[in-house]
Amino acid sequence: MFDKVLVANRGEIALRVIRACREMGVRTVAVYSEADAHAPHVREADEAILIGPAPSRESYLKGDAIIAAALRTGAQAIHPGYGFLSEREWFARAVRDAGLVFIGPPAEAIAAVGSKTAARSLAISAGTPVVPGTTSALRDADEAADVAAQFGYPVLLKAAAGGGGKGMRIVHRREELADALAAAKREAKSSFGDDAVYVEKYIVGPRHVEIQLLGDTHGTMLHLGERECSVQRRHQKMIEEAPSVAVTPELRARMGAAAVAAARAAGYVNAGTCEFLLDAGGDFYFLEMNTRIQVEHPVTELVTGVDLVQWQLRIAAGEALPFHQEDLDPSGWAMECRITSEDPANNFLPSTGRVQYLHVPSGPGIRWDGGIETGSEISLFYDPMLAKLIVWAPTRAAAIARMHRALLELTIEGVDTSRDFHLRVMEDAEFRSGDISIQWLERRLASLLSVQPPREAVLRAAIAAALLAERERSGPQRARRGAESSAVTSTTSPWLQAARLDAIQ
Ligand code: ADP
């Protein structure tokens, strides 16, 4: 195993990797931007190196500075986390060329599936079903129209280099194609520096179901079952769970085998994910392969008991996987809510500011993978994901109840967050029934957000009553002090937390 690993990331995933390393006795080097000088990942690592100013392109995307930091500190390997440099072929290659280990797949495998069109060709060659569409970039709108005529509208224009739902346009009619193609190309160029756009049939009503893979350097490639990530807004995941209500053991085996075949065709090693759309008839279509650890990896960890990040390190160090496919059946139910600094009531507008108070849920079955603490500054420089709240329970219904309970315990003061949105989803009858698709949230969002549930009203009344009682008890002097700081105390003091829970139970 390595003695020292450099973690080329920030926020919750940097902490996640640091924790994995610490449990394995591996020392860590954090890198950070000027904006992150006081960030938790900097403090938790054994060493930390400043690499540049706040903007990512001057810090977390500076591959040369990061490699130099690894060499200077004597780290033997670099873990890229997700986002930033994690799926850049040139970075994986540069790390290797510097005599270091890239904790991820070989640069060649990243290249083989890095563009969605290349990945589609590869999946087809491996016999994995793909969404109908092209496997090369479109020349013009006429070509797109010819393809669309074969399988009918709506179609989806997608950036070959795409990610994060960017560079996508749904087209319902021939007349809309030219403008949509121009817009998708512009967005692809500005987001990814590559304006290649291709076309797929737009599938209505499927689920997003993805398969987690682990492959070692000794020829073993296993799948760890599925994650369902259908709760999406603007093609971005918000809630993930494992397993999926729509996947039987037989379907899991078929999807797993298809994912393993695609990964083998790519020469894949380490942790990766094959994403699929699954329709109501049980047919599934390959979307893309992600060549890194995913945001939603904890739900797989909780149902399989496999620490994916530790295995990323072990595989990179040459260890062989000791499991067999039949050891990896999921047990119980896990669910994850992405806690972002966005205001659901205001069209998910990003919110900035200082975290004035943070109370993290705890108790049975709760996992908090967070990158913030009281005092953290939330800026617009980085992704709005502050933390992931993850729960495990024996059944889906119990996991939902547990997530609801945990969300009620969660208090973040100082920035708007997605907490209340997640509460509304956990209370929603359709979500609870499991009858959802990737279009579910867009359809349901307005009514979800307009709900002022009676429980919340009861809660507010209980908090107000408790606050009043406390003021009366503490007399005029303390009451005045209480009033001065009421902006913070009204929802954050521990006894008010307790009042919240009493009101709900
Ligand atoms: P990105 O890499 O930008 O995240 P993906 O190809 O992974 O793009 O797609 C993101 C999401 O967009 C999917 O989870 C799905 O909800 C939706 N999507 C992608 N392709 C299609 C399609 N052909 N039909 C319907 N929805 C799609």
Side-chain angles (χ1 to χ4, degrees):
M1 184 40 63
F2 311 111
D3 297 322
K4 200 190 261 191
V5 166
L6 182 140
V7 184
N9 217 298
R10 66 180 302 283
E12 72 87 17
I13 194 63
L15 279 170
R16 170 74 187 90
V17 177
I18 290 168
R19 285 173 170 149
C21 289
R22 187 158 289 157
E23 287 178 19
M24 299 171 81
V26 175
R27 288 187 301 140
T28 50
V29 181
V31 290
Y32 65 99
S33 70
E34 284 163 6
D36 277 341
H38 303 291
H41 79 279
V42 175
R43 195 184 52 241
E44 290 302 322
D46 296 304
E47 291 168 67
I49 304 280
L50 174 68
I51 40 169
S56 309
R57 62 176 186 287
E58 295 173 48
S59 49
Y60 296 104
L61 288 172
K62 289 212 81 163
D64 50 352
I66 289 170
I67 291 170
L71 293 171
R72 197 160 72 243
T73 53
Q76 296 132 329
I78 297 184
H79 194 302
Y82 52 67
F84 293 134
L85 295 168
S86 60
E87 293 184 285
R88 306 284 169 99
E89 176 205 350
W90 65 262
F91 182 65
R93 207 177 285 281
V95 170
R96 189 170 64 197
D97 290 348
L100 302 168
V101 177
F102 179 76
I103 301 178
E108 294 71 18
I110 299 179
V113 292
S115 103
K116 290 184 200 278
T117 43
R120 284 166 60 79
S121 304
L122 200 113
I124 293 167
S125 74
T128 303
V130 302
V131 181
T134 56
T135 48
S136 54
L138 292 165
R139 281 188 305 275
D140 52 33
D142 283 343
E143 191 192 354
D146 289 346
V147 179
Q150 287 168 31
F151 43 69
Y153 290 87
V155 294
L156 187 61
L157 301 174
K158 291 173 83 168
K166 292 208 186 74
M168 276 195 215
R169 286 285 183 289
I170 302 171
V171 182
H172 296 275
R173 283 181 295 277
R174 168 72 181 91
E175 307 80 82
E176 297 167 4
L177 255 181
D179 285 352
L181 183 60
K185 275 174 165 289
R186 265 198 313 276
E187 196 171 308
K189 181 82 187 163
S190 72
S191 300
F192 314 110
D194 174 0
D195 74 350
V197 167
Y198 71 105
V199 61
E200 277 180 9
K201 181 170 177 53
Y202 182 73
I203 315 259
V204 180
R207 293 167 183 269
H208 174 117
V209 176
E210 60 189 30
I211 300 286
Q212 175 68 51
L213 297 161
L214 266 187
D216 65 20
T217 51
H218 307 273
T220 300
M221 176 66 66
L222 299 169
H223 74 82
L224 287 90
E226 77 282 3
R227 292 184 285 260
E228 159 124 27
C229 317
S230 296
V231 180
Q232 297 185 357
R233 180 176 169 271
R234 300 193 171 162
H235 309 299
Q236 296 247 53
K237 300 162 189 166
M238 304 194 67
I239 297 173
E240 301 96 343
E241 53 188 298
S244 160
V245 292
V247 176
T248 59
E250 181 272 329
L251 181 56
R252 180 172 305 128
R254 273 197 295 131
M255 294 184 79
V260 165
R264 283 197 185 283
Y268 203 82
V269 173
N270 214 294
T273 299
C274 266
E275 297 190 331
F276 296 97
L277 293 178
L278 173 67
D279 71 19
D283 287 325
F284 57 89
Y285 307 92
F286 173 89
L287 272 183
E288 66 166 340
M289 183 155 181
N290 292 131
T291 58
R292 54 170 157 82
I293 193 79
Q294 304 259 108
V295 171
E296 58 272 23
H297 75 274
V299 293
T300 300
E301 296 188 322
L302 293 184
V303 295
T304 60
V306 174
D307 188 312
L308 289 167
V309 177
Q310 289 196 5
W311 272 105
Q312 283 194 293
L313 268 85
R314 291 205 174 95
I315 289 168
E319 232 177 274
L321 286 166
F323 323 112
H324 301 287
Q325 191 59 63
E326 47 296 357
D327 304 333
L328 297 170
D329 282 344
S331 162
W333 215 278
M335 197 167 277
E336 172 182 283
C337 288
R338 298 188 184 199
I339 309 297
T340 59
S341 51
E342 294 173 312
D343 181 7
N346 202 356
N347 206 20
F348 287 84
L349 195 72
S351 171
T352 56
R354 176 183 288 263
V355 176
Q356 287 164 354
Y357 180 86
L358 173 67
H359 176 80
V360 171
S362 52
I366 306 293
R367 171 170 163 180
W368 173 261
D369 279 20
I372 56 162
E373 57 193 4
T374 299
S376 292
E377 276 298 335
I378 310 305
S379 70
L380 290 177
F381 285 114
Y382 311 114
D383 192 272
M385 201 180 71
L386 305 177
K388 303 172 323 202
L389 177 56
I390 312 127
V391 302
W392 182 93
T395 63
R396 184 169 189 269
I400 291 173
R402 183 161 279 173
M403 180 64 87
H404 191 264
R405 185 270 289 175
L407 285 162
L408 285 172
E409 285 182 33
L410 172 64
T411 308
I412 303 176
E413 297 285 351
V415 282
D416 295 317
T417 74
S418 56
R419 168 193 176 266
D420 289 4
F421 158 79
H422 289 297
L423 274 170
R424 299 296 85 80
V425 175
M426 295 303 133
E427 289 159 3
D428 185 80
E430 281 182 16
F431 176 75
R432 295 167 80 102
S433 78
D435 185 15
I436 50 172
S437 76
I438 56 170
Q439 282 100 19
W440 175 77
L441 183 59
E442 300 285 353
R443 178 169 54 72
R444 196 77 176 155
L445 194 56
S447 63
L448 272 181
L449 295 179
S450 67
V451 177
Q452 179 69 8
R455 288 165 143 211
E456 197 79 352
V458 171
L459 185 74
R460 294 232 166 87
I463 289 172
L467 192 60
L468 211 64
E470 162 75 354
R471 284 190 188 162
E472 272 165 15
R473 250 200 320 275
S474 56
Q477 260 206 326
R478 284 194 53 201
R480 210 169 33 247
R481 242 185 296 140
E484 276 159 19
S485 58
S486 65
V488 176
T489 54
S490 65
T491 49
T492 54
S493 86
W495 61 268
L496 285 173
Q497 288 286 336
R500 279 178 162 212
L501 292 177
D502 288 348
I504 289 300
Q505 281 155 3

